[in-house]
Amino acid sequence: MANLRLFQGLLRQWAQEGLRDVVSAADHLARLERLGTQAPEAVSPHPDAAQLMTIHGSKGLEFPVVIVAGALRQGGGPAGAVRFDTQLGVALRLPRLEEDTPEWEALEAAQKERDTSESERVAYVAFTRAADLLILSVVSGTGPAPMKRFEDFLGNLPEAGVARTYLSPAEVLAPPPLTLQTAGGKPVLDVRSGPGVVLPGTLPVTSLGTFLGCPRAFAYRHLEGRSPLVTLWSARHAAEATNPEGRLAGRQIGDAVHRALEHGWTATELHKQLGYFAPPDLKTVTTLVQSFQGDVYAEVRDRPYQRERPIQVKLGDVTFEGIVDAFDPEGTLVLDYKTDRHVQPEHHLPQLALYAHHLGATRAALAYLRHDRLHVFEEGDLQRGLALVQDAVARLQARQFDPVPSPACRYCPFRGVCDAAPETP
């Protein structure tokens, strides 16, 4: 998940540089691949986290415990009709020949020798990543060739310090198949998010609002990892035609406003730092930042804030992560900037209540910069919000993810896969 969040950050960065659609991002990834560009692995904030990576990506690293899945797995696919070697030359496998030519057999033997050498090198890299414990998962077919490879592999393992566990095919339980339901006229993949699902190690604080709004949408996003894609490819050109200036999405506008307020950028600095924005977007950001100087925000503006403070809050079995926009420890106030088009204080109450609970704040405020409105939650409001959070955590731990159909379903990014969403004209 940390790598996915790192990749999401790269996508946001590329979007700010002008790569704002899937095709542009895919083309950029292809260019990076051709150039051999490598990005570093994300560092998990949890020391006991499991990291998934390729063997090549693990070079130079070491871990207390390493699990190598499919240690005898080989690449598949038919052999090509052409063999090439810089010293032996070129050979073709011609159709309708009963036997391969000597040249082909020589090149094939050389290729097998290279493949064996490469497999041994890769295995050495994988096996030597473990500092304390190495776990190898080995699966073998029942034919003569697979069994010989299996026995040869076991024969090369030392007797001392190696524990062996053997399972027959009957002892390996197959995962339940996913079925595609079409009874309602709309195909729905039957992915279960009920009892038995594993909750993530951490969740963003903003996920509380999603869960309280609709647990099913929460499960789609944070448990099943579904991409919130509902726009058809056929609508892409129509969407681009309505956005000829390449305007940015609301989240990118919000991120820019937060950065500007965090660093205290002036109008001149805004133009310097965000010069790659389309002129209308830059004007929007500037207007929103300057609006915070209005009289309506005087109560919360000039305070000794700690800004962009990361926090982790553990409630039951769930750990929530978030970043507090601004916290005044002297006035025990939490401040959150909002660039939303709609004023929805109750939607943000659980998030602010959790922030206030963790930091010991007695008040919290929402600065709605598009509306010149300041909404303040007093201590009683925050206690009510914390009760909502605790109820949500209890339902999370009970794996209760029933949908909550409402008029808001028409705007849900998962309406295309949810069988509970009402039909929209």
Side-chain angles (χ1 to χ4, degrees):
M1 292 302 295
N3 278 326
L4 289 177
R5 295 190 185 101
L6 179 65
F7 184 58
Q8 287 178 332
L10 286 174
L11 290 176
R12 293 191 189 99
Q13 176 185 331
W14 296 345
Q16 292 177 348
E17 295 171 356
L19 307 175
R20 300 188 181 101
D21 59 80
V22 174
V23 175
S24 298
D27 290 342
H28 186 58
L29 282 170
R31 286 194 297 271
L32 294 177
E33 184 178 17
R34 286 195 299 269
L35 294 172
T37 306
Q38 292 187 348
E41 291 275 346
V43 178
S44 172
H46 306 286
D48 59 346
Q51 298 188 45
L52 298 177
M53 63 181 63
T54 64
I55 294 174
H56 290 286
S58 70
K59 290 180 181 178
L61 303 177
E62 187 177 74
F63 305 93
V65 179
V66 170
I67 302 174
V68 181
L72 286 183
R73 184 178 180 182
Q74 292 180 307
V82 180
R83 295 285 191 191
F84 173 78
D85 186 274
T86 55
Q87 295 180 341
L88 299 177
V90 179
L92 302 177
R93 170 174 272 180
L94 299 176
R96 300 189 182 90
L97 289 182
E98 294 183 359
E99 297 181 356
D100 292 326
T101 63
E103 292 81 6
W104 176 269
E105 292 177 345
L107 286 170
E108 187 175 38
Q111 183 62 45
K112 287 182 178 179
E113 185 176 347
R114 285 194 296 268
D115 290 344
T116 300
S117 177
E118 174 65 10
S119 297
E120 291 175 350
R121 186 189 67 80
V122 172
Y124 175 82
V125 171
F127 298 170
T128 55
R129 299 310 94 197
D132 302 321
L133 177 64
L134 173 64
I135 301 174
L136 303 177
S137 166
V138 181
V139 179
S140 172
T142 57
M147 286 302 298
K148 185 178 187 309
R149 291 187 68 245
F150 180 69
E151 292 168 357
D152 290 345
F153 177 82
L154 294 180
N156 287 312
L157 295 177
E159 292 294 332
V162 176
R164 293 171 171 81
T165 300
Y166 298 93
L167 296 174
S168 67
E171 296 175 287
V172 180
L173 299 179
L178 299 179
T179 56
L180 190 64
Q181 305 289 343
T182 57
K186 181 171 58 177
V188 175
L189 189 62
D190 186 20
V191 180
R192 299 171 181 83
S193 296
V197 69
V198 178
L199 296 178
T202 61
L203 286 167
V205 175
T206 53
S207 68
L208 283 167
T210 304
F211 182 86
L212 290 168
C214 180
R216 170 73 66 82
F218 169 92
Y220 281 151
R221 176 169 296 175
H222 298 286
L223 301 185
E224 300 173 12
R226 291 180 184 247
S227 298
L229 301 176
V230 294
T231 302
L232 296 176
W233 278 99
S234 58
R236 175 182 167 228
H237 295 296
E240 290 178 347
T242 61
N243 186 21
E245 297 173 313
R247 300 289 299 277
L248 295 176
R251 174 174 290 184
Q252 294 164 319
I253 295 289
D255 289 344
V257 171
H258 279 73
R259 287 165 55 199
L261 291 172
E262 175 190 1
H263 298 291
W265 290 341
T266 63
T268 302
E269 290 171 326
L270 273 171
H271 281 74
K272 180 180 179 181
Q273 295 289 339
L274 306 176
Y276 53 88
F277 273 30
D281 291 325
L282 184 56
K283 181 180 179 180
T284 299
V285 172
T286 303
T287 301
L288 292 174
V289 171
Q290 292 176 343
S291 71
F292 190 62
Q293 300 304 313
D295 294 339
V296 70
Y297 305 114
E299 176 189 354
V300 298
R301 186 169 53 243
D302 299 318
R303 289 172 175 257
Y305 284 120
Q306 299 174 1
R307 298 186 182 275
E308 298 297 310
R309 176 169 172 172
I311 66 168
Q312 280 192 339
V313 187
K314 185 173 179 61
L315 295 177
D317 297 332
V318 185
T319 299
F320 293 97
E321 294 182 328
I323 297 179
V324 181
D325 289 349
F327 171 57
D328 173 15
E330 297 178 9
T332 63
L333 173 74
V334 171
L335 175 64
D336 200 11
Y337 308 112
K338 293 298 177 187
T339 58
D340 302 4
R341 296 187 180 277
H342 304 285
V343 177
Q344 297 175 306
E346 289 298 313
H347 176 75
H348 303 293
L349 174 59
Q351 175 183 349
L352 291 180
L354 191 59
Y355 286 160
H357 170 72
H358 181 72
L359 297 172
T362 57
R363 300 173 75 223
L366 290 165
Y368 286 98
L369 301 177
R370 288 186 187 269
H371 307 274
D372 287 331
R373 176 174 172 180
L374 180 69
H375 187 95
V376 179
F377 291 113
E378 301 295 343
E379 189 169 8
D381 299 317
L382 296 176
Q383 291 175 353
R384 176 169 57 86
L386 185 60
L388 291 174
V389 172
Q390 292 169 337
D391 176 69
V393 170
R395 289 193 285 150
L396 269 173
Q397 294 181 138
R399 310 310 196 257
Q400 297 176 4
F401 304 111
D402 296 328
V404 182
S406 73
C409 288
R410 64 182 301 178
Y411 305 109
C412 177
F414 303 102
R415 65 182 182 272
V417 296
C418 180
D419 57 348
E423 294 292 337
T424 56

